[in-house]
Amino acid sequence: MIVPLVAESLVTDGRQKVKIWRNGEAVVIDSPLLPYFYSPLEIPMVRSELVKKTLLYETDYSGDIYKCVFRNENDLRKNASKNAWESRVKLIDRLYIDIPEYIIQYPNNNELRILSLDIEVDSFLTFPNAVENAIIAIGIQLNDMPIEIYMAKKHNDDRDLLIEVFKRIKELDPDIIVTYNGIRFDMPYICDRCKYNRISTTWLTRDGTDVEHIEDHTTGEYKATNIGGRVHYDIMVRSVKDGQKVRDQNLFQFNLKHFDMKSVAKAYNCPDVIKESQEVMSNMRSIVNTKQLHDYLESDIRCTTYLRKIYLPAIIKQAENLQVPLNTVVNMTPSYTGSIIFARKFGAIDIVGDMTVGEAHPFLSANKQGAWVQTYRTGLFKDGLRDIDVTSFYPNLILQLNLCPTTTKILRTEDELKPYSTHMTEDNHLQLSIPDERANCQIIIDINMNKQGIASAFVAELMRDRAEIKKRMKTLDKNSPEYADCDANQLNLKIIINSLTGFFGMQYSLFGSLAAYIAITGSGRYLLRQMKDFLDKDEERVIACNTDGIYLTGGPSLDEIHEWLEAFIKEKYFCDKSYIWLEDTPYSAGYFQKNAEKHYLLLTKPDKNGKQDLIIHGGGLKGSAKIPLYSAVIDEIGLKLLTTGVTEADVEKFYNSANWSLEDVTFGRTVKQRDSYKNGGELGVQLIDQYKDRFDKVVHSGTRLNYVKVSPTKKVAKHTIRRKVKVPVEEKTSEYKLVTIFDKLSDVPNLDLDYYKAEVDKALERLDLADLCPKTQVAKEQKSLFDF
DNA sequence: AATGGCGCACTCTACG
DNA sequence: CGTAGAGTGCGC
């Protein structure tokens, strides 16, 4: 690796230092540059130097600009005011921006020592918590060495286990500790157990500090782990899924529903993935110190190592491309790349970031319109359809329109909305007049076409590089290390390219450009609209449009569309080259839900084995907020709908409660703290109370409890429910019953069958198959009887 | 203290 | 009971 493992800034005795970790050791040096900001005023007692720079937004600023240099970060922070420009840039980032070559002098060029780590914890009936449930096994594996499994003898004593494993980890001295969801589970759990056992977590660090969990300030959830001198790489949070965001572009092709380690590992064809039943998972106590536990944990470690071999090389490449330490890239947010790159580029041409996007345009920043989404035709498309997508639409618009903070300005806004139009001025400025329906105004944007903008030149460079890598990949063996290396590289470039538009529009970005963002989305809406009209010109073919793609049936050949598009672009933008081109993907069949914009099913063309996949789009059809029974109907009946057609017999089995499992009818609800509910009858409150009744435990806020819907039963005789309850017994019985993974469906005699049948109805209704619902059938029959 | 963007479907909760 | 607004999930 050509970059260090970890770098951080620190202040000792008022001196600004930098600490860099590489090859297992730290160097502490005087910072090669001191923290500074720019200011229109000299600051007393501070080294202020008059510099020749220009401001990004206030381009006609003619006053002085001082570079004010401080002894250390603390001094800078004390002096930072509204008048200070770029004062929020951290010193460590300043190093990467101003002197990127500096950090490269400290490469971690020894082979990386990468440790996979996973723990198994005691559980009995309920989800484990670190106060009551000990760790019962820990698995580790350094690089490709054999997997090591350590197990506790008893379910409630992990002291010896922890000490043994900590000693071993110290001995192995890993640079990187790899986990799956370790930020939120394994690491805090280990630390909590250390606290319980009075063992120091400094065992795990290189520098004698304690392991530290970094919280997200809005959600309060852990978002990173500091293990002094090492990097903690959490595969799930960093590469697979963090909250809503699917992080890795590769995953899209899998169309995964679940993102737990085993599902992801299986999707990547990891061999021998062992999954235990829920019964075992909720009673891990029963397998303490057994081969079963050993094998299970071994499989988890195998998955962890397998997945990190796929993802980690790309992250290392990212650090090398960006020329920052590995820990920075592991813990960064997606916007970091853009911040660093633009700060470097603008710093190099003496432009100072005087405002953030939100400061420069408060109203538009908060109210700008985004992409265009519209559905025109719904229902079943049995004979197939096409998806015509614009390739890398937004990045190519940056090229086409020469968009950059330095070339693009918002000239003015006008109250009256008008159609999109373009105009070229005599001095070669392209002006766009863009209607924004969300901000409810016309936005006039000016682009200087006399010079190429830095941002657009940068996008061009990245796209050229990526195209070259992809070309090279075609000549390589798919299983060769070179191929994997190229793949990691091209994927990184893709991610950078795609994040630039978002960075332009980001409220807090210093070198963003709302003008460029509005030019992109506004032109995107317009061009897609024009394309739709072209495709529809003699017949209604378009089914739906969304951002950069159009679904349609029939229509001209791709060549014909390209021909039209190229001419259109050239004329519209007064230029002789079009950067906008299309891709055409055929599907065997499709179904677009009525009264919905983005809910549809697609059936892929048969692959070389003749296999066809059903792709489900949209939360409503995916049933992410619904019970598994609902999704089962969409999955199975949806596929039949697009292939063989659906009969009454096909849907019948979903109405038969004998076919349901408990999981099929179980909902989950994340509960808050009990006293934060204003209404005492809330579902959340009921579940918390049932939990307390049953397990005599208070549920933590944020816990997800499972429940089923039950029919309110007749009042139970009072004497049977009065025991140990002092408060008067409520007359009303609950409609919701708490269930745990240890319950069985037979424990729920009064399941609300009608409710669940209605859920099946809903699924069929969304597939426009309401006439197959039994209630409709009955109604029909009755009607015919009545007719007689 | 530090955060890529917006659009649409859908659920949940508070409140009248 | 109906509904507005917040929150969540998915998609591009």
Side-chain angles (χ1 to χ4, degrees):
Chain A
M1 195 165 68
I2 64 163
V3 292
L5 189 71
V6 178
E8 60 198 16
S9 66
L10 57 142
V11 180
T12 42
D13 300 332
R15 284 178 84 92
Q16 184 65 57
K17 306 269 186 181
V18 179
K19 188 175 189 178
I20 304 172
W21 285 89
R22 48 87 176 100
N23 296 339
E25 285 172 352
V27 271
V28 180
I29 40 177
D30 282 338
S31 176
L33 64 82
L34 290 175
Y36 65 85
F37 59 59
Y38 297 103
S39 162
L41 304 164
E42 246 180 309
I43 296 183
M45 315 292 286
V46 170
R47 184 146 65 86
S48 306
E49 173 197 347
L50 201 56
V51 289
K52 255 192 111 56
K53 302 226 171 219
T54 49
L55 301 182
L56 183 63
Y57 281 96
E58 213 184 320
T59 42
D60 51 3
Y61 175 80
S62 58
D64 293 334
I65 300 179
Y66 290 94
K67 180 176 176 179
C68 307
V69 185
F70 298 87
R71 270 175 69 219
N72 60 48
E73 287 175 290
N74 305 338
D75 284 2
L76 180 146
R77 218 166 296 132
K78 268 182 243 156
N79 284 283
S81 68
K82 271 190 186 158
N83 284 327
W85 296 311
E86 298 191 14
S87 65
R88 281 196 294 250
V89 179
K90 288 188 198 134
L91 177 81
I92 198 75
D93 293 331
R94 196 46 99 183
L95 290 189
Y96 311 148
I97 293 165
D98 288 7
I99 41 171
E101 66 286 352
Y102 184 81
I103 210 83
I104 306 301
Q105 295 173 54
Y106 299 91
N108 192 113
N109 44 15
N110 288 355
E111 192 197 355
L112 283 168
R113 305 175 67 81
I114 307 168
L115 185 88
S116 299
L117 176 122
D118 189 28
I119 64 172
E120 298 303 328
V121 307
D122 170 53
S123 67
F124 185 62
L125 303 186
T126 60
F127 195 77
N129 75 67
V131 180
E132 289 160 40
N133 303 95
I135 296 172
I136 55 171
I138 301 177
I140 53 176
Q141 181 182 26
L142 189 84
N143 294 354
D144 281 319
M145 283 164 60
I147 294 173
E148 301 174 27
I149 303 291
Y150 300 86
M151 296 198 288
K153 303 271 184 307
K154 299 197 307 204
H155 78 83
N156 55 1
D157 185 358
D158 48 11
R159 194 181 164 77
D160 294 346
L161 170 68
L162 284 168
I163 290 173
E164 186 184 8
V165 172
F166 285 177
K167 282 184 178 161
R168 182 63 180 146
I169 291 178
K170 206 163 193 64
E171 201 170 75
L172 293 171
D173 191 23
D175 298 309
I176 306 170
I177 296 181
V178 185
T179 62
Y180 200 90
N181 200 24
I183 290 175
R184 282 165 206 164
F185 184 74
D186 300 58
M187 285 302 168
Y189 210 101
I190 290 173
C191 292
D192 286 348
R193 291 307 298 174
C194 282
K195 205 168 161 190
Y196 181 91
N197 283 299
R198 294 168 195 273
I199 300 172
S200 169
T201 62
T202 57
W203 277 98
L204 288 173
T205 64
R206 271 174 167 159
D207 61 358
T209 57
D210 274 304
V211 172
E212 203 186 348
H213 309 286
I214 313 293
E215 273 180 30
D216 182 307
H217 66 102
T218 44
T219 63
E221 290 202 349
Y222 291 145
K223 59 168 185 181
T225 322
N226 265 352
I227 308 175
R230 309 190 203 279
V231 171
H232 177 208
Y233 166 47
D234 180 335
I235 301 175
M236 176 156 107
V237 170
R238 175 59 178 80
S239 299
V240 177
K241 200 174 193 203
D242 182 11
Q244 294 186 29
K245 294 262 184 206
V246 174
R247 299 294 291 261
D248 186 81
Q249 307 281 319
N250 264 345
L251 273 172
F252 287 128
Q253 37 188 287
F254 296 145
N255 201 21
L256 280 186
K257 266 192 181 167
H258 302 288
F259 295 88
D260 61 288
M261 177 167 71
K262 285 155 191 92
S263 303
V264 177
K266 273 187 190 163
Y268 279 113
N269 299 318
C270 176
D272 307 323
V273 179
I274 301 178
K275 202 172 172 175
E276 286 292 353
S277 70
Q278 292 205 320
E279 248 167 316
V280 172
M281 293 311 289
S282 63
N283 190 4
M284 292 294 275
R285 194 169 290 180
S286 65
I287 58 167
V288 167
N289 205 17
T290 61
K291 181 166 187 302
Q292 190 180 358
L293 177 63
H294 178 284
D295 293 351
Y296 178 71
L297 181 53
E298 195 177 59
S299 157
D300 275 8
I301 294 289
R302 211 160 39 231
C303 291
T304 307
T305 299
Y306 188 90
L307 289 175
R308 73 101 171 133
K309 283 189 182 178
I310 293 169
Y311 287 116
L312 192 55
I315 294 175
I316 292 170
K317 263 275 146 22
Q318 237 174 314
E320 293 182 330
N321 288 346
L322 202 57
Q323 302 203 3
V324 296
L326 184 64
N327 78 317
T328 303
V329 170
V330 167
N331 294 320
M332 74 186 183
T333 59
S335 66
Y336 185 85
T337 310
S339 313
I340 290 291
I341 289 172
F342 281 121
R344 277 180 189 156
K345 300 252 181 219
F346 288 100
I349 54 167
D350 291 325
I351 290 177
V352 172
D354 53 336
M355 275 186 267
T356 63
V357 163
E359 285 162 357
H361 303 284
F363 176 74
L364 283 179
S365 169
N367 296 285
K368 60 196 178 292
Q369 191 178 355
W372 177 53
V373 181
Q374 184 76 257
T375 298
Y376 293 92
R377 299 160 68 195
T378 57
L380 193 57
F381 298 91
K382 270 214 101 145
D383 302 325
L385 55 111
R386 300 160 79 183
D387 175 15
I388 296 183
D389 270 12
V390 185
T391 309
S392 300
F393 199 10
Y394 286 2
N396 275 316
L397 278 171
I398 295 176
L399 285 187
Q400 183 75 56
L401 302 175
N402 189 31
L403 299 175
C404 180
T406 56
T407 57
T408 316
K409 296 273 174 292
I410 296 176
L411 278 190
R412 62 180 186 279
T413 58
E414 294 168 0
D415 287 344
E416 196 192 334
L417 285 177
K418 287 179 285 194
Y420 179 100
S421 66
T422 63
H423 165 70
M424 188 65 94
T425 64
E426 276 179 17
D427 56 350
N428 202 31
H429 282 226
L430 176 65
Q431 296 196 340
L432 309 176
S433 174
I434 299 173
D436 189 312
E437 284 168 16
R438 195 157 168 248
N440 198 25
C441 62
Q442 194 78 9
I443 304 169
I444 317 300
I445 285 167
D446 180 275
I447 310 163
N448 183 354
M449 302 302 266
N450 294 304
K451 50 173 186 183
Q452 189 176 24
I454 288 177
S456 87
F458 179 57
V459 172
E461 185 191 316
L462 293 179
M463 290 178 80
R464 213 164 34 233
D465 290 353
R466 180 161 182 243
E468 249 167 56
I469 296 174
K470 288 187 103 172
K471 201 169 138 195
R472 179 152 179 258
M473 282 167 72
K474 285 195 178 134
T475 68
L476 294 170
D477 172 10
K478 279 199 174 175
N479 297 313
S480 66
E482 292 85 5
Y483 185 92
D485 197 55
C486 283
D487 202 31
N489 258 326
Q490 70 88 8
L491 202 69
N492 284 329
L493 292 179
K494 177 179 170 181
I495 290 167
I496 296 174
I497 292 166
N498 286 341
S499 67
L500 289 184
T501 301
F503 181 78
F504 277 157
M506 189 176 79
Q507 190 183 353
Y508 298 99
S509 60
L510 203 48
F511 296 106
S513 169
L514 197 64
Y517 183 86
I518 290 171
I520 293 168
T521 52
S523 305
R525 289 194 296 273
Y526 173 72
L527 288 176
L528 201 67
R529 177 84 217 196
Q530 294 306 305
M531 199 153 81
K532 189 251 172 195
D533 289 348
F534 172 74
L535 294 168
D536 266 350
K537 67 176 185 286
D538 44 13
E539 193 188 324
E540 302 272 299
R541 299 188 178 96
V542 170
I543 302 167
C545 305
N546 184 352
T547 312
D548 62 354
I550 296 181
Y551 288 104
L552 75 161
T553 49
S557 73
L558 195 61
D559 285 346
E560 279 173 79
I561 307 172
H562 268 145
E563 201 178 309
W564 164 82
L565 182 64
E566 192 177 343
F568 187 83
I569 295 274
K570 285 180 181 170
E571 192 225 311
K572 205 74 209 172
Y573 296 120
F574 314 96
C575 60
D576 50 18
K577 184 170 182 218
S578 167
Y579 291 84
I580 310 298
W581 76 94
L582 311 165
E583 270 164 275
D584 194 351
T585 313
Y587 287 95
S588 289
Y591 166 78
F592 286 70
Q593 194 188 323
K594 241 185 247 170
N595 306 319
E597 294 298 349
K598 294 194 288 204
H599 286 57
Y600 52 92
L601 308 177
L602 294 171
L603 184 69
T604 60
K605 288 277 179 191
D607 66 10
K608 57 181 188 289
N609 301 317
K611 196 174 164 297
Q612 291 179 284
D613 283 326
L614 180 72
I615 303 176
I616 303 172
H617 282 257
L621 287 172
K622 274 212 160 128
S624 37
K626 293 195 157 276
I627 44 170
L629 177 63
Y630 174 94
S631 305
V633 177
I634 301 281
D635 283 350
E636 190 175 319
I637 303 299
L639 184 62
K640 287 202 168 122
L641 181 66
L642 295 189
T643 50
T644 56
V646 187
T647 64
E648 277 166 51
D650 294 327
V651 306
E652 229 175 63
K653 66 173 191 187
F654 292 104
Y655 286 96
N656 184 350
S657 59
N659 295 327
W660 303 342
S661 69
L662 181 60
E663 205 202 332
D664 283 338
V665 293
T666 300
F667 294 91
R669 166 60 64 84
T670 307
V671 298
K672 302 187 287 187
Q673 226 162 358
R674 196 187 186 287
D675 56 14
S676 65
Y677 288 96
K678 296 206 173 150
N679 178 349
E682 276 312 322
L683 165 59
V685 177
Q686 292 188 36
L687 293 178
I688 290 171
D689 290 348
Q690 289 187 33
Y691 195 91
K692 178 90 172 65
D693 263 4
R694 192 165 159 187
F695 300 111
D696 201 26
K697 257 192 245 170
V698 177
V699 180
H700 297 277
S701 161
T703 305
R704 197 159 176 86
L705 294 177
N706 288 331
Y707 69 97
V708 292
K709 194 100 171 36
V710 292
S711 342
T713 46
K714 276 174 269 166
K715 260 188 289 170
V716 185
K718 279 197 177 162
H719 63 271
T720 63
I721 51 175
R722 207 192 296 135
R723 60 190 157 82
K724 75 177 178 182
V725 183
K726 281 180 188 157
V727 288
V729 174
E730 290 266 318
E731 303 249 316
K732 201 177 67 183
T733 55
S734 173
E735 287 175 50
Y736 308 103
K737 180 174 162 37
L738 175 82
V739 297
T740 67
I741 39 185
F742 217 58
D743 290 316
K744 294 192 184 66
L745 194 57
S746 53
D747 300 332
V748 191
N750 55 337
L751 196 69
D752 191 341
L753 301 181
D754 289 341
Y755 175 84
Y756 287 110
K757 286 176 182 171
E759 286 294 293
V760 179
D761 287 346
K762 272 190 207 162
L764 291 176
E765 277 158 20
R766 283 188 193 172
L767 296 176
D768 207 16
L769 295 170
D771 55 333
L772 292 178
C773 300
K775 61 173 185 196
T776 325
Q777 299 284 325
V778 169
K780 268 191 204 158
E781 278 167 36
Q782 282 173 342
K783 199 176 175 195
S784 58
L785 282 171
F786 182 76
D787 283 345
F788 277 103

